Every structure is written in structure tokens, then in C-alpha cells.
Amino acid sequence: MKALVLPALERPEGMTTHDYAFARLRQAIMVGAFRPGTSVTIRGLAEALESSPTPVREALRQLTSIGALHFLENRRIVVPRITPARFEELISLRIVLESHAARRAVAHLSDRQIDRIVATDDAIEAAILAGQKAAALIANQQFHRQIYMANPDQIAMPLIESVWLQLGPILGIAMEHVAELYVVDRHREAIDALRRRDEDAVAEAIAADIREGIGGFDQQAIAKLLALAA
């Protein structure tokens, strides 16, 4: 059996083994390292993390408690599949939360911060061209975080990351087909709007980015994407 490989995550000094196991597994799910329906084992994850089973077991307990993983009756641990209705609900929520967060961040972003956002967008493009799906998704999430976190009073980021976590396995599949699903570069539209300090245009660019990043937000587009995950 092929050894499991998880996307890298820097471990801050002083972070406990349990916290690191949780953070790295959470990131892996969030960037689509596991497809919907994938079974995982404590032993396999412990080997991938070069850890003992105990912190992995606790991390899995936390991840199941927030819906990122499911424990089945036969004690298997799986990445949950997603119904069209639930997917539509999560994307709708993502649009509302992130449009709000982007709009509220505009007034707080300096030109230097926007330059760093541009550099992150360049990193996304480089990762896509190199075929590095996980790296592209990690950089994409960083692009969004850099915008939303500019607001010192923001409280939406934990909610947004919760939605990303539940969508991660599907967004990983969307990234595999990004060339055919995502035609207009909405990130550049958002950056241009940020430089103009145009809150409405930033919010609309972010909303369009979310809709078009999955190939569209109509029933046919949703069915096509979920079929790729089957």
C-alpha cells in the first residue's frame, strides 16, 4: 500500500505534538488531500505524521466533533461525502461570509499589504503551473486570509475556515480541474478593486471568485463537480 503523504506544515516552536497533529490533519482536509469517502486509519496517519497514535487519536476525535471526519459503526473513519443541497448551502454561506469580510477589510489594507497579496496570487499561479494542487490551495487560502485579516476587528475568519474545512475535499477536486472550471481571473479583479479602495467591487470579485472556482453555481455545474468526486 502506498504510504500516505500529507501537505507540509511548519511547526511553531513550543507547539505540542497533539496540537500539531490536529493542525496538520485539519490543513490536509482543508486543501483536499483526502477525497470524499476516503477511509483513514490511526496507524497510517501516525506514520505520515511520524507520531505516536495517541495525539493522532485525539486529533481525529476533534475533527469528527466538528464534522470534518465521520466515525462509522464499524469503527472506520472516513472523509464524509457531500450532498448537492449541503454543498449549495456551504457555498452560499461562504459567499456571504467572505464578501462581508472582504468589504470590511478594504479600509485597513495598506499598499504594502496589497503588494504582499499580489505576491501570494503569483504563488498560486506558480503552484498551478507546477501541478502542485495542495500548494495552490494553501496559497489560495492565504490570499483570502491576507485580505480578511487586515481588519483588526474581524470575527469572521473562524467561521470561514470552518466552511473551508467542510468543503476541502471537493475544492481539492475542483483544483485538479481548475483550467476548465476557472476562466476569468477574479483575484486580479479583487486586487485592482483593493487598490481603488472600492468595497463593492472587492466584495463582488470575491463572490465571483467563489462561484466560478467551482465551475459555476447552478445545479448543472454543482452536479458536474460532485460527479467528479464520486
Side-chain angles (χ1 to χ4, degrees), residues 14-60:
M15 176 179 271
T16 66
T17 303
H18 160 256
D19 287 345
Y20 180 68
F22 173 76
R24 193 163 173 198
L25 289 174
R26 178 175 177 269
Q27 175 186 263
I29 296 169
M30 199 180 288
V31 301
F34 305 102
R35 294 177 71 91
T38 300
S39 295
V40 297
T41 66
I42 293 173
R43 179 179 178 179
L45 293 173
E47 289 177 355
L49 290 165
E50 299 180 340
S51 166
S52 68
T54 300
V56 173
R57 188 177 293 109
E58 178 60 21
L60 292 176

Side-chain angles (χ1 to χ4, degrees), residues 10 23 36 71 86 112 131 133 140 156 164 181 183 189 200 203:
E10 185 177 351
F71 269 119
R86 184 172 178 82
R112 181 172 294 181
K133 180 193 76 173
N140 182 66
W164 289 352
L181 296 178
V183 179
E189 288 187 0
D200 290 341

